[in-house]
Amino acid sequence: MIQPIVIALLVVAAMGAALGLVAWLAIRSRNMQVWLGSYLRRRRHPPVKGPIHVMFCFVDHYEPAWGRVDLETQRRRVDRWHRDYPAMASQHRDADGRPPQHTFFYPEEEYLPEHLDKLAELCANGYGEIEIHLHHDNDTPDNFRATIARFNELLHARHGALSRDPRTGQLRFGFIHGNWSLDNSRADGRWCGLNNELILLRELGCYADFTLPSAPSETQTRTINAIYYATDDPHGPKSHDTGTRVKVGGEASGDLMIVQGPLGLDWKRRRKGIMPRIENADVRHSCPPTPERVDAWIRTGIHVEGRPEWIFVKIHTHGTQERDMDTLLGAPAHAMHAHLERAYNDGERYVLHYVTARETYNIIKAAEAGLDGNPSRYRDYELPPPPGAARWASPAMPHAQRADALAGVPDME
């Protein structure tokens, strides 16, 4: 006869196994097995002396034709941004006196001159910059090269977007991949088709990719909360799954810089009261930018290794979806910026800088080169502003070129 204690232990073991199976199925359903190990093994950040400079970068998968809507609906979407974004952003300032910066990653396949003209006007008035977004499927290298090169020239010549590299004359651009599928990273091979996409982007002038994090998509990488160089394997997909961290005193390596936003677990907002939600730096109506989320982004502390006092917070949205515009252009956005300016801009513990994607890259490269002090001096460190963007005088110089910065400029704290 089986003893009661044995029966109890068997019941407990069965319950434990059932709970474990439920947890594993929940993890798999959200593709968390890809990155959860990296999250659990995360390292403590080194101590920081002096103020922490916060580079806050808001990137937008900006798709006026989302949902295959008609032209009038597209116009209403773009017109609302053209009208309401300055009204919101003009009420806020960072430590350098700049309003929030919005980087519009515009999809090549949705190009309409009238939409870009309105975004270009926002940029000319000092509210952001335009970069490249692309949805494609079953693509070929030749078609990809032709598509990106043509769009680069069009954005630059017609709309004053994109920088020319002062050393080579090549147009340079930041990139976000549609459907998250950078370098053919979906298991079924859809929404890309190119195993050598990182190489192609480098050759075409891409300075960095801003797609990630993509969780809960299967395209999410094992590497999280990092700024790193990825080396392409042209014979296999998802070469950016791992890479070499950008570090002070290091050099560019591999094929493409990957700039990731915060990714982690939110135990305060649990699914069905049990499973933590994924914090993936996505801002929309269903996940507004609350002070608690802002604090979590800051705590993630993404930085160039060896420069922990400069942290980069890259968040993202899909800005043209009607259900989200009140969040992005109304009271929740005001509350987010007010919290940033109140909690992370006292000049002693924190200094806040609103930056575009290009400026983020420039400041990363300045950190890599060993420069320190006020990062605002390096907004234009390697790549100058696009011709159509508002010119902004940095605290140290009107247009910081790489050679001047390397020669050393007095710090302007």
Side-chain angles (χ1 to χ4, degrees):
M1 183 175 181
I2 301 176
Q3 296 297 318
I5 186 64
V6 175
I7 295 174
L9 289 172
L10 290 172
V11 170
V12 169
M15 292 176 61
L19 288 173
L21 178 60
V22 169
W24 176 244
L25 291 175
I27 288 170
R28 293 282 300 186
S29 71
R30 306 287 283 171
N31 294 301
M32 291 168 59
Q33 77 282 357
V34 173
W35 56 271
L36 188 58
S38 298
Y39 177 74
L40 295 174
R41 293 191 300 270
R42 64 193 184 278
R43 296 173 292 177
R44 289 183 177 272
H45 299 306
V48 173
K49 294 181 180 179
I52 294 174
H53 291 266
V54 177
M55 269 58 70
F56 190 82
C57 177
F58 205 157
V59 307
D60 194 338
H61 306 217
Y62 194 83
E63 304 169 14
W66 176 82
R68 300 181 180 181
V69 297
D70 59 25
L71 180 57
E72 287 306 310
T73 301
Q74 295 179 41
R75 285 172 173 160
R76 284 195 297 271
R77 291 170 170 178
V78 177
D79 285 345
R80 180 164 183 194
W81 274 88
H82 187 255
R83 179 188 68 243
D84 289 359
Y85 188 77
M88 183 278 293
S90 63
Q91 299 182 45
H92 299 277
R93 289 293 186 273
D94 66 6
D96 310 308
R98 293 186 87 199
Q101 297 294 296
H102 205 80
T103 304
F104 300 91
F105 283 78
Y106 195 94
E108 181 275 339
E109 71 280 359
E110 295 185 19
Y111 175 73
L112 278 177
E114 63 180 273
H115 297 342
L116 266 301
D117 287 343
K118 291 170 183 175
L119 294 185
E121 185 176 342
L122 284 178
C123 297
N125 289 332
Y127 293 109
E129 294 178 7
I130 297 167
E131 299 288 356
I132 289 181
H133 187 31
L134 181 69
H135 300 82
H136 61 154
D137 191 17
N138 195 30
D139 210 346
T140 66
D142 287 345
N143 183 69
F144 183 79
R145 288 191 189 97
T147 298
I148 295 295
R150 181 176 61 247
F151 197 43
N152 281 357
E153 293 292 345
L154 181 61
L155 288 179
H156 185 74
R158 170 68 192 264
H159 305 287
L162 309 187
S163 301
R164 284 203 184 274
D165 192 311
R167 297 163 296 179
T168 67
Q170 184 182 33
L171 286 175
R172 305 291 302 278
F173 63 97
F175 187 71
I176 284 178
H177 199 295
N179 306 111
W180 313 109
S181 303
L182 180 66
D183 202 47
N184 223 15
S185 53
R186 279 176 59 107
D188 62 6
R190 292 298 309 276
W191 310 121
C192 185
L194 302 171
N195 284 337
N196 63 335
E197 191 165 39
L198 305 186
I199 292 173
L200 294 173
L201 285 167
R202 171 178 55 79
E203 292 174 348
L204 287 161
C206 182
Y207 59 77
D209 177 84
F210 293 82
T211 303
L212 297 166
S214 62
S217 168
E218 64 183 324
T219 61
Q220 174 60 47
T221 55
R222 192 184 342 161
T223 301
I224 64 171
N225 298 327
I227 303 167
Y228 62 103
Y229 292 111
T231 299
D232 208 341
D233 173 4
H235 305 293
K238 204 176 185 182
S239 298
H240 56 298
D241 201 32
T242 60
T244 302
R245 302 292 178 105
V246 180
K247 64 181 179 180
V248 173
E251 295 182 354
S253 63
D255 292 297
L256 191 63
M257 180 187 290
I258 308 295
V259 180
Q260 296 186 327
L263 177 61
L265 298 177
D266 184 348
W267 290 91
K268 293 183 178 180
R269 298 183 306 138
R270 303 189 189 195
R271 296 172 62 85
K272 299 181 179 179
I274 301 173
M275 290 294 294
R277 293 182 181 271
I278 295 173
E279 171 53 75
N280 60 2
D282 187 11
V283 175
R284 58 181 65 212
H285 173 72
S286 59
C287 42
T290 62
E292 292 78 16
R293 292 189 72 200
V294 173
D295 294 343
W297 300 335
I298 300 290
R299 284 196 305 271
T300 303
I302 297 173
H303 64 277
V304 172
E305 289 196 356
R307 186 69 69 237
E309 69 273 23
W310 293 4
I311 65 173
F312 297 85
V313 176
K314 179 189 71 71
I315 64 173
H316 67 271
T317 192
H318 290 72
T320 60
Q321 299 179 19
E322 283 82 1
R323 62 193 175 197
D324 299 325
M325 287 194 200
D326 287 344
T327 297
L328 299 167
L329 299 170
H334 276 299
M336 175 185 73
H337 290 299
H339 182 66
L340 280 164
E341 292 153 18
R342 181 174 56 251
Y344 298 104
N345 199 32
D346 60 9
E348 296 180 1
R349 294 184 305 134
Y350 293 98
V351 182
L352 176 66
H353 308 281
Y354 291 130
V355 293
T356 65
R358 177 190 61 86
E359 291 170 336
T360 296
Y361 167 78
N362 280 333
I363 294 170
I364 289 168
K365 294 299 288 186
E368 182 181 51
L371 302 175
D372 56 14
N374 186 347
S376 274
R377 297 191 298 160
Y378 311 118
R379 290 175 184 264
D380 304 330
Y381 171 66
E382 187 171 284
L383 299 177
R391 299 285 164 155
W392 177 81
S394 75
M397 62 191 82
H399 180 54
Q401 294 294 337
R402 185 178 180 88
D404 295 332
L406 285 171
V409 179
D411 197 13
M412 299 289 288
E413 294 289 1

